[in-house]
Amino acid sequence: MCAWVNVTSSSSWNYVMGWEATQDLTSNTHDRQIWIRSDLKPEFYIYDGTTEFATSTRTISLNTWVFLCGVVNGTSSNLLYLNGTLETVNPTDNWAYNSYTTPYFGIGKGKNSTNQQLYFNGFIDNAVVYNYTLSAQQINQLYIEGLNNYQNSTLVSQELSLADNWTCQITPNDAFNDGIMKQNSTLI
């Protein structure tokens, strides 16, 4: 899970996003969350029978956009990335997703590991959850593209294999009519 965030107040913990067991996001059963602590250190939290935290060693500045990603690396670690760079790794023991009957995902509202209700003070943009583990190169590329106001426009080498067949189709348009579609397939 990743998001661009801009914290405007450090008066309390700032909940970015994560899963809860109830729709009103007030349960004490929660998992996979990103928040900014009151000391302005980002943190990625998972629950594997015990609470596991990947906490940044750096603080972020108020009123400044930063890019955060929390990644679960298979069953061995949870990782926190700050501005496209691996910030911290926390080894976990036999981690598996919580299997809530009805999991709910919240952005900007949730609870921390001590059941304190949290809200986000500031702005959250381009929050996204992936159903696969992002590589360090993919996260860095997302950060670079976000700085340049692009959205997921570049593939990194880990997403490609020899003999992949990619097809590109382009349809010209002059704001009134579509032209003839062109197609190209090149073996990589």
Side-chain angles (χ1 to χ4, degrees):
M1 65 175 62
C2 300
W4 283 90
V5 299
N6 184 332
V7 179
T8 58
S9 170
S10 64
S11 60
S12 67
W13 290 47
N14 283 283
Y15 184 92
V16 178
M17 61 182 168
W19 275 270
E20 297 279 345
T22 60
Q23 187 172 6
D24 62 1
L25 302 176
T26 59
S27 77
N28 60 2
T29 307
H30 38 265
D31 187 17
R32 293 159 289 161
Q33 299 178 335
I34 296 176
W35 57 64
I36 312 294
R37 299 180 346 174
S38 57
D39 61 2
L40 295 176
K41 290 184 178 183
E43 191 162 72
F44 178 52
Y45 157 89
I46 64 172
Y47 182 77
D48 66 350
T50 60
T51 54
E52 304 286 349
F53 300 95
T55 306
S56 175
T57 58
R58 296 184 291 161
T59 59
I60 62 171
S61 300
L62 290 177
N63 303 305
T64 302
W65 285 99
V66 296
F67 183 63
L68 299 174
C69 284
V71 175
V72 177
N73 185 4
T75 60
S76 61
S77 301
N78 60 327
L79 302 91
L80 176 67
Y81 289 81
L82 173 61
N83 290 337
T85 303
L86 180 61
E87 180 66 18
T88 187
V89 176
N90 182 30
T92 60
D93 299 319
N94 302 317
W95 184 82
Y97 288 104
N98 276 329
S99 55
Y100 305 138
T101 313
T102 53
Y104 296 94
F105 187 77
I107 298 175
K109 177 188 175 188
K111 283 191 169 185
N112 67 9
S113 61
T114 61
N115 294 322
Q116 176 187 6
Q117 191 69 45
L118 304 175
Y119 297 92
F120 190 82
N121 296 306
F123 305 95
I124 300 172
D125 195 16
N126 293 334
V128 63
V129 176
Y130 294 89
N131 64 352
Y132 55 91
T133 301
L134 294 174
S135 70
Q137 291 80 8
Q138 288 170 310
I139 291 170
N140 187 56
Q141 189 63 39
L142 290 171
Y143 170 66
I144 291 168
E145 290 177 355
L147 286 176
N148 295 304
N149 293 319
Y150 300 132
Q151 182 92 10
N152 302 335
S153 60
T154 304
L155 297 173
V156 297
S157 62
Q158 290 76 16
E159 296 175 278
L160 304 172
S161 298
L162 287 176
D164 278 352
N165 187 4
W166 291 80
T167 301
C168 178
Q169 294 180 333
I170 298 174
T171 304
N173 184 291
D174 63 3
F176 297 103
N177 297 307
D178 285 344
I180 298 171
M181 190 239 340
K182 303 284 184 179
Q183 179 174 317
N184 186 9
S185 296
T186 303
L187 188 63
I188 298 176

